[in-house]
Amino acid sequence: MIRLVAILLFCASSVWAEVRIDPARSVVRDGWWSLRVELGLSDVTPYRVYTLDDPRRLFLEFEGLDGDGVDLSDVLEPGRATNLRLEPMPDGWSRLVVTLAEPMAVAEAGMLTVPQGADLTVVMERSSVAAFAASARSSGLKADATLPEEGVLDAGFVVAIDPGHGGIDPGADRGGVQEAPLMLQLAREVAAALADMEGVQVVLTREADDFVSLERRISLARAAGADLLISLHADALEEDEAQGASVYTLGKDGGDAASRRMVERHERVDLLEGVDLTGQGDQVATVLLDIARRDTGPEGQRFADLLVQQMRDRGVRLNARPRREGQFAVLSAADFPSVLVEAGFLSNARDRERLLDVGGRAPLVRAIADAVAAFAAHEG
């Protein structure tokens, strides 16, 4: 596979350039039964929001944030927040730590682009002691999943398998069947099939019932040196007419109504965890989208076509439109092709029965493995 170093450097220098906090545009102050954190940033950047207990704190973590020489002494208006500090973290991240005087729950979190760069707003509302403890990071948020050591996966064709949802985000739920654990099981079966192939190595973006943000899933795949990412999901509708598997690639626009609804359902939980995926003017998303379409976008489309053909050959139950497009964040990486596989509809009884059975999943597992083999052979 051709690695476009120039494109990656462009991303690093133009998109994830050094970010600064502007104290003049920032404030931490009480609202009506609430706490508002408003930060003015010099540019958009990936971020995370979470709380920790004992002592109670709010953490805002930013990629590429430079806190050297930043004076935040006038930013804090003491009240429900009693202290504010900025500290560096490993891997080029920094975090703002807000000490809380009482239990507060994150009610809103979002980043918007503005002429000066970006504005981040976090709104916290009063909470009970028990509710705060239950919602703190120890309850299952895993935003700091361990990255593979550099060089561990430096040979062969590397496939990143991404089981959708997990942890605080169970995904679709129909008939007592939840999407997250089912997709993890499917991912393990796909990984096992790929592991038998010479020259193919596999990494999973999650290996347990953990929450991993969409931005983090891409980072994990990139750190593993992925040549291809396959994200696994199972949709659900209010009605049960829709059925069969489909394969999505990154689209230029929002796609049809079904695709837009799918994107919203799969990615809504990241809004609660600090990854704002709704802004059409987001600079990072726009740049990556444009770059991906020039090189890895066509490669992803080629793999998607291979996969649909293999699914047909293996007798996998397909949707009436098995090839679709959508603006999924997990497909936005510029440096490797990616697809999102909807294995079926949990809202459809026949699809649900098929996905619950290891024999029912086997044709899909085999189709994915055969498509990877064909794709890897062409890339090699």
Side-chain angles (χ1 to χ4, degrees):
M1 173 175 292
I2 298 174
R3 294 293 187 186
L4 298 185
V5 178
I7 286 181
L8 298 181
L9 291 176
F10 173 81
C11 289
S13 61
S14 301
V15 181
W16 288 298
E18 184 179 277
V19 178
R20 304 276 295 181
I21 293 178
D22 181 358
R25 293 164 45 216
S26 305
V27 67
V28 179
R29 63 187 173 192
D30 289 354
W32 184 255
W33 302 111
S34 67
L35 174 68
R36 292 184 64 88
V37 179
E38 300 174 2
L39 297 179
L41 303 174
S42 61
D43 203 351
V44 293
T45 187
Y47 70 101
R48 299 188 287 255
V49 178
Y50 62 93
T51 54
L52 283 182
D53 203 358
D54 195 25
R56 299 184 186 103
R57 289 154 294 165
L58 169 70
F59 285 76
L60 306 176
E61 298 180 352
F62 302 89
E63 184 174 18
L65 179 66
D66 180 13
D68 289 346
V70 177
D71 183 4
L72 300 180
S73 57
D74 294 331
V75 171
L76 175 65
E77 298 180 5
R80 296 188 176 92
T82 61
N83 188 49
L84 188 67
R85 71 178 187 273
L86 188 61
E87 56 189 36
M89 297 172 60
D91 302 323
W93 287 66
S94 295
R95 65 187 174 196
L96 186 71
V97 184
V98 183
T99 303
L100 304 174
E102 60 185 275
M104 305 288 293
V106 176
E108 300 177 20
M111 182 181 290
L112 296 176
T113 57
V114 295
Q116 302 95 320
D119 285 343
L120 173 70
T121 301
V122 177
V123 178
M124 304 190 75
E125 297 179 347
R126 297 180 71 179
S127 173
S128 68
V129 172
F132 182 90
S135 64
R137 183 166 174 164
S138 59
S139 65
L141 171 62
K142 190 175 182 181
D144 58 349
T146 302
L147 290 171
E149 294 182 7
E150 186 175 356
V152 169
L153 297 178
D154 58 356
F157 187 88
V158 181
V159 183
I161 306 297
D162 174 47
H165 309 277
I168 59 173
D169 176 25
D173 189 337
R174 291 292 189 278
V177 180
Q178 287 188 334
E179 180 180 4
L182 185 58
M183 291 303 100
L184 180 57
Q185 180 59 40
L186 177 60
R188 288 169 175 162
E189 293 167 0
V190 172
L194 294 177
D196 292 335
M197 296 182 181
E198 184 177 355
V200 174
Q201 300 192 55
V202 186
V203 60
L204 269 63
T205 59
R206 67 177 179 93
E207 299 188 41
D209 188 23
D210 296 316
F211 173 81
V212 183
S213 73
L214 296 171
E215 168 258 324
R216 188 63 172 173
R217 293 170 192 257
I218 294 175
S219 296
L220 288 165
R222 179 173 293 116
D227 296 294
L228 175 68
L229 180 141
I230 304 172
S231 189
L232 302 175
H233 292 264
D235 202 3
L237 300 174
E238 289 70 24
E239 64 280 352
D240 66 357
E241 285 84 0
Q243 62 182 13
S246 55
V247 182
Y248 282 78
T249 51
L250 188 64
K252 182 176 181 180
D253 53 31
D256 57 21
S259 298
R260 290 191 294 272
R261 181 194 58 76
M262 280 262 305
V263 172
E264 180 180 358
R265 185 181 73 77
H266 283 318
E267 304 189 349
R268 69 187 184 280
V269 76
D270 271 65
L271 295 176
L272 300 178
E273 296 304 331
V275 183
D276 187 352
L277 302 169
T278 60
Q280 295 301 312
D282 185 283
Q283 297 171 14
V284 173
T286 300
V287 172
L288 289 181
L289 253 168
D290 290 343
I291 296 173
R293 225 181 321 274
R294 296 174 191 170
D295 183 75
T296 55
E299 290 184 358
Q301 293 167 6
R302 186 171 63 81
F303 176 76
D305 293 339
L306 277 172
L307 179 53
V308 169
Q309 186 57 55
Q310 289 293 339
M311 292 162 74
R312 283 198 176 100
D313 293 345
R314 292 283 176 177
V316 175
R317 192 182 192 203
L318 294 176
N319 184 263
R321 288 184 55 206
R323 274 289 284 115
R324 295 173 178 264
E325 293 186 347
Q327 286 185 312
F328 292 95
V330 78
L331 302 182
S332 65
D335 42 333
F336 50 82
S338 51
V339 300
L340 186 146
V341 178
E342 283 291 339
F345 288 82
L346 294 184
S347 50
N348 181 273
R350 288 183 61 193
D351 277 9
R352 190 167 61 244
E353 181 180 5
R354 173 177 54 83
L355 290 173
L356 280 172
D357 178 62
V358 63
R361 296 189 299 269
L364 176 58
V365 171
R366 193 67 257 162
I368 294 175
D370 289 346
V372 168
F375 187 76
H378 181 273
E379 294 300 305

